[in-house]
């Protein structure tokens, strides 16, 4: 499939936004200066992940060197141009905030920049969904596209944020342990929402008027779905159960969880791209 | 602005694909790149009568489709660079190959399958209405090559005055999506857009 680079871009960009929103929410309510420095170090990981997502998106282009041409599409609000602009602005805002904290620039304005970055993150999630809600592609043209894209952000973002915190557990002390337990509860809830919402989405999908049955397109879709749901359950479960039982500092386990959940989301996204077809079947 | 468009008579078309090939030849297209495509739409079944005999209602017809140079093109709306644009002088939708980044988003959006990715040039390409030939007073090559005279080209207002406004024949999508500059003539077996009793039979050719 030629959209594989887009599978990576969308999943990674959404996960990055989710991870950032968790970290940013913690930074927002935090008053401790030394803790602020430790937490904002995690933003480096956010920028690295966003960079990888950006590179994945570039490999999709026939002419990556002409990528700058996408600014011309802003003139007619091309959904793709808006998405790319949102990605750049989000990355820029995260970088600006990180730099402000690192160099101690304008401490009173930092939270304003942080709020701006959070708003841009949410905007980016919606902008990506907007690219795929095309009137001519019935299987994509619904609120379920937004649901899936937003859920990816949190399902991967939460364990990824927990992993970042665990990597700094010696410096953060009890704060980290409490945060880990809170995130595990949140992760459990989000997993519940996905495991309830996804079958409903599949029910909706089965009733879209299409020339072929969207649930019977490829032989491997059965195993892909199984992998997606099993990896999500196992990945999230490993971290959530151990965290609620009092193991809140081991980074290795959370790393495995994050990777498993990330793979689960990649499987789900491959299925999503496979559904591209027109109502006419042309 | 004059809007140029196509007339396709599915009651005359025999699916010989001369239009598709003359287009390929004129524009020197790669294997797999088809600016004009002939869709074979067919269906039907066998029924058993009370006396044990069988009857069939099998049907098939052909729709030759390139780009419909729509009034509201999904491709130009999607295009992030403006490379895919509608010419002001004749309403033809063409790609500027020097600006196109090859993101294939227009391909995702167009319900007619008109934008085609050229794997060698790594940009999108599509039917340009043979505007160079049209400027010399000639017809697009597909029109001139059609042995059945099933295709016509010209100002869409004139074609509509002559042949009506039908553009919703299966397997074409609902014309309200993009408002194609296209007039179709139904064949005896033609089904409306959205029909599910038949299907595109030659999927590997288009």
């Amino acid at each position: 499939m030629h959209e594989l680079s887009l599978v990576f871009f969308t999943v990674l960009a959404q996960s990055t936004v989710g991870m950032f929103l968790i970290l940013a929410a913690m930074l927002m309510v935090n008053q401790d200066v030394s803790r602020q420095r430790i937490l904002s170090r995690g933003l480096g990981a956010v920028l690295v992940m966003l960079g990888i997502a950006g590179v994945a998106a570039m490999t999709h282009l026939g002419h990556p060197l002409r990528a700058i041409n996408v600014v011309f599409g802003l003139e007619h609000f091309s959904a793709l141009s808006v998405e790319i602009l949102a990605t750049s602005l989000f990355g820029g805002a995260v970088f600006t905030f990180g730099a402000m904290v690192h160099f101690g620039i304008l401490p009173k304005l930092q939270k304003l920049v942080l709020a701006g970055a959070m708003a841009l993150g949410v905007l980016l999630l919606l902008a990506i969904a907007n690219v795929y809600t095309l009137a001519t592609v019935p299987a994509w043209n619904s609120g379920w596209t937004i649901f899936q894209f937003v859920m990816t952000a949190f399902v991967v973002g939460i364990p990824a944020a927990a992993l970042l915190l665990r990597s700094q557990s010696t410096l953060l002390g009890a704060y980290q342990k409490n945060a880990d337990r809170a995130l595990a509860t949140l992760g459990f809830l989000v997993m519940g929402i996905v495991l309830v919402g996804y079958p409903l989405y599949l029910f909706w999908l089965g009733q879209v008027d299409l020339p072929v049955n969207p649930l019977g397109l490829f032989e491997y879709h059965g195993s892909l779905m199984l992998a997606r749901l099993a990896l999500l359950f196992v990945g999230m479960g490993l971290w959530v159960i151990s965290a609620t039982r009092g193991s809140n500092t081991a980074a290795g386990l959370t790393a495995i969880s994050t990777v498993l959940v990330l793979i689960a989301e990649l499987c789900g996204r491959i299925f999503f791209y496979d559904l591209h077809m027109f109502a006419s079947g042309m | 602005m004059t809007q140029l468009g196509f007339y396709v008579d599915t009651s005359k078309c025999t699916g010989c694909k001369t239009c598709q090939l003359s287009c390929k030849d004129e524009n020197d297209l790669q294997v797999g790149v088809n600016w004009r495509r002939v869709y074979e739409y067919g269906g039907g079944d066998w029924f058993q009568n009370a006396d044990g005999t069988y009857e069939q209602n099998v049907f098939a017809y052909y729709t030759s489709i390139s780009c419909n140079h729509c009034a509201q093109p999904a491709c130009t709306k999607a295009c992030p660079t403006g490379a895919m644009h509608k010419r002001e002088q004749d309403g033809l939708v063409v790609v500027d190959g020097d600006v196109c980044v090859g993101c294939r988003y227009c391909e995702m959006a167009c319900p007619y399958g008109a934008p085609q990715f050229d794997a060698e040039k790594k940009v999108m390409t599509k039917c340009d209405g043979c505007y160079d030939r049209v400027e010399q007073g000639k017809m697009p090559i597909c029109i001139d090559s059609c042995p059945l005279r099933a295709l016509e080209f010209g100002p869409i207002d004139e074609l509509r005055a002559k042949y009506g406004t039908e553009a919703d024949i299966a397997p074409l999508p609902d014309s309200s999506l993009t408002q194609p500059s296209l007039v179709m003539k139904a064949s005896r077996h033609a089904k409306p857009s959205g029909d599910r009793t038949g299907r595109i039979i030659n999927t590997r050719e288009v």
Side-chain angles (χ1 to χ4, degrees):
Chain A
M1 70 187 299
H2 70 80
E3 297 103 337
L4 205 56
S5 42
L6 295 178
V7 169
F8 279 94
F9 165 73
T10 55
V11 169
L12 284 176
Q14 286 151 6
S15 308
T16 308
V17 171
M19 182 167 81
F20 171 75
L21 287 177
I22 300 293
L23 281 180
M26 295 175 72
L27 279 161
M28 213 54 166
V29 293
N30 174 58
Q31 305 292 344
D32 187 316
V33 178
S34 66
R35 192 184 292 153
Q36 189 202 29
R37 285 186 158 265
I38 299 166
L39 288 177
S40 53
R41 246 187 258 159
L43 299 180
V46 169
L47 288 172
V48 168
M49 268 176 70
L50 196 65
I52 297 171
V55 170
M58 292 284 271
T59 61
H60 177 68
L61 299 181
H63 284 275
L65 294 177
R66 291 183 191 166
I68 192 68
N69 286 359
V70 298
V71 298
F72 300 135
L74 290 171
E75 199 185 323
H76 60 271
F77 294 106
S78 158
L80 196 56
S81 294
V82 172
E83 178 209 59
I84 294 163
L85 179 74
T87 311
S88 323
L89 289 178
F90 171 67
V94 173
F95 178 79
T96 307
F97 174 77
M100 283 171 96
V101 172
H102 187 76
F103 297 109
I105 307 163
L106 301 168
K108 284 184 178 150
L109 274 181
Q110 285 174 4
K111 285 200 171 157
L112 197 66
V113 175
L114 185 65
M118 289 172 85
L120 283 168
V122 174
L123 207 70
L124 174 56
L125 291 181
L126 297 177
I128 300 175
N130 188 40
V131 169
Y132 296 97
T133 41
L134 290 163
T136 50
V137 185
W140 289 356
N141 191 25
S142 89
W144 287 113
T145 298
I146 303 174
F147 170 78
Q148 291 182 72
F149 287 11
V150 171
M151 280 301 130
T152 297
F154 291 104
V155 137
V156 188
I158 293 171
L163 173 62
L164 271 181
L165 294 176
R166 285 191 178 200
S167 71
Q168 307 293 326
S169 59
T170 44
L171 292 170
L172 287 166
Y175 175 84
Q176 184 271 327
K177 288 189 183 64
N178 291 332
D180 194 71
R181 273 195 286 273
L183 286 178
T185 310
L186 198 61
F188 177 75
L189 290 175
V190 167
M191 180 178 70
I193 295 171
V194 173
L195 291 180
V196 171
Y198 204 67
L200 291 178
Y201 156 70
L202 294 177
F203 264 87
W204 169 82
L205 191 62
Q207 293 170 58
V208 179
D209 183 27
L210 287 167
V212 288
N213 177 6
L215 298 174
L217 283 178
F218 296 103
E219 289 266 330
Y220 70 88
H221 275 178
S223 356
L224 199 66
M225 262 317 109
L226 179 67
R228 185 231 194 284
L229 294 171
L231 286 171
L232 173 67
F233 187 72
V234 172
M236 207 61 141
L238 270 180
W239 163 60
V240 166
I241 292 171
S242 67
T244 47
R245 288 174 64 87
S247 159
N248 297 104
T249 50
L253 187 74
T254 318
I256 294 170
S257 282
T258 308
V259 170
L260 291 183
V261 171
L262 185 66
I263 297 170
E265 290 307 300
L266 292 171
C267 292
R269 199 53 51 82
I270 289 171
F271 175 73
F272 176 85
Y273 277 97
D274 278 343
L275 294 174
H276 177 271
M277 72 181 116
F278 303 112
S280 58
M282 286 176 84
Chain B
M1 180 193 87
T2 325
Q3 169 69 57
L4 297 176
F6 288 107
Y7 168 69
V8 180
D9 186 341
T10 64
S11 70
K12 283 184 183 167
C13 179
T14 60
C16 73
K17 301 176 184 69
T18 307
C19 52
Q20 188 174 319
L21 277 180
S22 64
C23 171
K24 239 177 148 63
D25 181 40
E26 169 83 6
N27 296 298
D28 206 8
L29 304 181
Q30 308 285 327
V31 173
V33 178
N34 295 312
W35 289 1
R36 185 169 275 284
R37 302 156 307 285
V38 178
Y39 294 88
E40 184 177 348
Y41 193 76
D45 224 329
W46 287 92
F47 301 96
Q48 192 174 16
N49 293 316
D51 61 2
T53 58
Y54 283 86
E55 262 183 79
Q56 52 86 8
N57 63 352
V58 180
F59 68 92
Y61 60 92
Y62 302 90
T63 48
S64 169
I65 295 296
S66 57
C67 166
N68 301 314
H69 304 285
C70 304
Q72 286 175 6
C75 59
T76 59
K77 189 182 162 206
C79 180
T81 64
M84 185 72 81
H85 64 285
K86 208 166 162 60
R87 279 157 54 103
E88 273 175 21
Q89 60 269 47
D90 49 22
L92 294 175
V93 177
V94 298
V95 193
D96 184 341
D98 295 328
V99 177
C100 175
V101 292
C103 72
R104 305 182 74 160
Y105 190 39
C106 52
E107 184 187 34
M108 255 181 202
C110 169
Y112 295 97
Q116 306 246 325
F117 187 67
D118 187 321
E120 214 161 83
K121 295 179 191 147
K122 302 212 179 288
V123 291
M124 297 310 295
T125 62
K126 66 182 282 302
C127 161
D128 57 7
C130 285
Y131 64 79
D132 46 344
R133 285 174 61 90
V134 174
E135 276 161 15
Q136 296 164 25
K138 295 184 201 160
M139 278 284 137
I141 196 78
C142 52
I143 310 295
D144 272 354
S145 68
C146 178
L148 281 303
R149 293 287 174 260
L151 297 173
E152 281 181 45
F153 179 82
I156 194 69
D157 293 343
E158 290 176 21
L159 292 174
R160 283 184 180 138
K162 208 166 152 188
Y163 298 112
T165 55
E166 184 60 78
D168 291 83
I169 287 178
L172 302 188
D174 182 346
S175 64
S176 67
L177 286 170
T178 62
Q179 300 186 10
S181 303
L182 173 75
V183 177
M184 301 281 288
K185 186 181 171 191
S187 71
R188 192 157 57 95
H189 295 298
K191 306 280 183 228
S193 290
D195 171 67
R196 296 283 177 251
T197 61
R199 62 188 174 86
I200 296 170
I201 293 168
N202 61 339
T203 46
R204 292 179 68 190
E205 287 178 358
V206 293

